[in-house]
Amino acid sequence: MSMKKILFITAHMPSESAKYAGHRLAYNHLSDLVMSGNCVDLVVLSNASEFIDWSGIEGVKLRYFEKLNLPKKLYNCIVSRRFYPFKLYSRFSNNLLRFINENIHDYDIVRFEFTHSFSIMDSIEKTLLSSSVEVEVCCHDVITQWALREGSFLSSKYYDFEKKVFSLVDRILVLNSKDKKILESIFSVESSKIKISPPKLSSFVYPLALSDRSGASEKNILFWGAMDRPENEHAVINFISESYDLMLNGGYRLYVVGSNPTKKIKSLACDNVIVTGFVDDPSEYFLKCYWGIVPLERGAGIKLKTLEMLHAGLNVVSTDVGAEGISHDKLKVVSLGSFKDIIF
């Protein structure tokens, strides 16, 4: 395969050690492009609150980056002349628009990572059509599905946004067959345009598949994920609400492992609920727990937390939201109210 020059535009800073699974996944995608012999230029639009310094990957050059706080996001929406959905157009950047228009002919492929980064797409439509560059997007999830589950009154606008983007690009990368079917059925995207790219897991997980799990106690339960994500906070609170008496009476322990636990989550900490916050290597918690839980009722896309706990050998109990696109003999998919019937 001949070397391609790729412009990689991402809505979050890729990092191997990021606290968020999606950011780690973006890093893996970037690394894979370089490992395949490509030359990659990187463009980053990063939330100021989650910013991680670019540590570098050989073969990748950081060409452009914006750190986005709330005033900057509001400004971006004003410049784009679109305020809704704010979640998307806060990533619009006039400077990035100028950079792409001036440099696009230097590249063979322009890659957009995360749906948030697509907001500039319709503004460069003429530029894309007049160039020979190939355009691909990587959807970590289908944001229209997320909006519908949230009951957002902007669901139709998310749909229109994604449909327009999908019509402009040459390739769409999704993480699982379920999302491929959604693109085909809801957005009428041709199957040949969609490529399934299964996600790599966190590096610490792979050795665990070969580890001795004899020390895992059936009374130890693991929830794994970034705890400042509302859907994760909601999931843990609801599981404890449903199961706390059974945990207490049976001597069970729930380990809530992940970065930035909220005040609500911290307030639940006790002998039976251990809230760790961020840990560099969560292997010890994966090895001591027999059960993994994914009691999510919100969100979209394949859940790396589910894949990682399964790969590490845990018996995972999940809602249908947490198990989307995943099939495994150690995975039980039930309603939240039925978790206690399987675990306790």
Side-chain angles (χ1 to χ4, degrees):
M1 182 184 294
S2 60
M3 184 192 79
K4 301 285 188 181
K5 189 166 184 184
I6 300 173
L7 183 65
F8 189 98
I9 302 171
T10 172
H12 300 284
M13 178 63 80
S15 172
E16 189 175 22
S17 59
K19 298 177 182 179
Y20 298 94
H23 305 192
R24 298 193 297 272
L25 182 58
Y27 181 91
N28 289 335
H29 287 166
L30 195 56
S31 299
D32 287 344
L33 290 173
V34 175
M35 291 289 289
S36 298
N38 300 298
C39 179
V40 184
D41 284 354
L42 177 62
V43 168
V44 181
L45 303 168
S46 172
N47 284 329
S49 61
E50 66 191 26
F51 178 69
I52 301 172
D53 286 326
W54 172 242
S55 56
I57 296 175
E58 187 175 353
V60 177
K61 181 179 180 181
L62 181 60
R63 285 293 304 274
Y64 178 90
F65 129 78
E66 282 190 35
K67 187 190 296 186
L68 302 175
N69 54 23
L70 182 57
K72 181 65 174 176
K73 288 182 177 182
L74 290 170
Y75 174 79
N76 288 343
C77 286
I78 292 170
V79 170
S80 74
R81 299 180 183 178
R82 302 174 184 89
F83 279 93
Y84 301 105
F86 178 78
K87 182 180 181 73
L88 302 178
Y89 286 103
S90 63
R91 285 298 201 281
F92 182 92
S93 167
N94 231 0
N95 291 331
L96 176 56
L97 177 61
R98 189 178 305 111
F99 174 86
I100 291 175
N101 284 329
E102 291 175 355
N103 296 281
I104 195 169
H105 297 287
D106 295 337
Y107 297 96
D108 301 300
I109 298 172
V110 176
R111 161 77 167 266
F112 292 86
E113 188 88 5
F114 297 103
T115 307
H116 304 37
S117 72
F118 305 169
S119 59
I120 203 165
M121 194 80 71
D122 54 356
S123 297
I124 60 171
E125 180 176 359
K126 291 182 180 179
T127 303
L128 295 176
L129 294 174
S130 66
S131 73
S132 60
V133 70
E134 296 180 12
V135 182
E136 62 184 32
V137 295
C138 181
C139 301
H140 288 213
D141 52 38
V142 180
I143 202 164
T144 298
Q145 184 183 37
W146 166 85
L148 288 168
R149 283 182 172 155
E150 291 290 309
S152 172
F153 71 96
L154 295 172
S155 296
S156 62
K157 289 190 176 293
Y158 284 110
Y159 172 83
D160 292 340
F161 174 86
E162 287 191 307
K163 188 170 181 62
K164 175 65 180 294
V165 166
F166 297 151
S167 72
L168 290 175
V169 303
D170 299 289
R171 277 183 303 280
I172 305 167
L173 280 67
V174 295
L175 305 183
N176 60 83
S177 58
K178 182 267 302 179
D179 283 351
K180 182 175 186 288
K181 290 177 181 176
I182 290 177
L183 265 59
E184 291 170 339
S185 60
I186 296 180
F187 296 98
S188 301
V189 178
E190 294 179 9
S191 179
S192 59
K193 202 173 181 176
I194 308 168
K195 178 183 177 182
I196 299 174
S197 179
K200 285 187 177 179
L201 308 180
S202 299
S203 58
F204 77 87
V205 172
Y206 292 100
L208 296 181
L210 304 175
S211 298
D212 177 11
R213 294 193 51 79
S214 60
S217 169
E218 290 192 24
K219 295 197 173 184
N220 288 341
I221 306 165
L222 174 66
F223 182 91
W224 161 239
M227 291 315 304
D228 54 351
R229 297 290 295 264
E231 63 269 26
N232 287 341
E233 178 192 66
H234 180 264
V236 168
I237 290 172
N238 283 351
F239 175 78
I240 292 174
S241 177
E242 288 273 345
S243 306
Y244 184 74
D245 287 344
L246 292 169
M247 288 172 54
L248 184 64
N249 294 332
Y252 287 81
R253 285 189 169 185
L254 170 64
Y255 292 87
V256 181
V257 181
S259 61
N260 303 324
T262 62
K263 289 182 179 179
K264 286 183 179 179
I265 294 297
K266 289 179 179 178
S267 71
L268 298 171
C270 60
D271 289 343
N272 298 88
V273 180
I274 293 83
V275 179
T276 69
F278 176 75
V279 291
D280 287 324
D281 183 359
S283 299
E284 65 170 294
Y285 300 103
F286 276 69
L287 289 173
K288 72 170 57 176
C289 292
Y290 179 86
W291 298 104
I293 58 166
V294 194
L296 293 173
E297 296 182 306
R298 300 155 61 181
I302 197 167
K303 302 299 181 292
L304 290 181
K305 59 171 63 68
T306 309
L307 290 173
E308 290 177 340
M309 289 190 290
L310 287 169
H311 191 85
L314 279 76
N315 295 272
V316 177
V317 186
S318 175
T319 58
D320 55 356
V321 173
E324 282 182 323
I326 302 172
S327 178
H328 197 283
D329 59 2
K330 285 183 173 286
L331 175 63
K332 301 291 185 184
V333 184
V334 297
S335 66
L336 178 59
S338 297
F339 274 47
K340 57 181 176 287
D341 299 328
I342 295 175
I343 296 173
F344 303 107

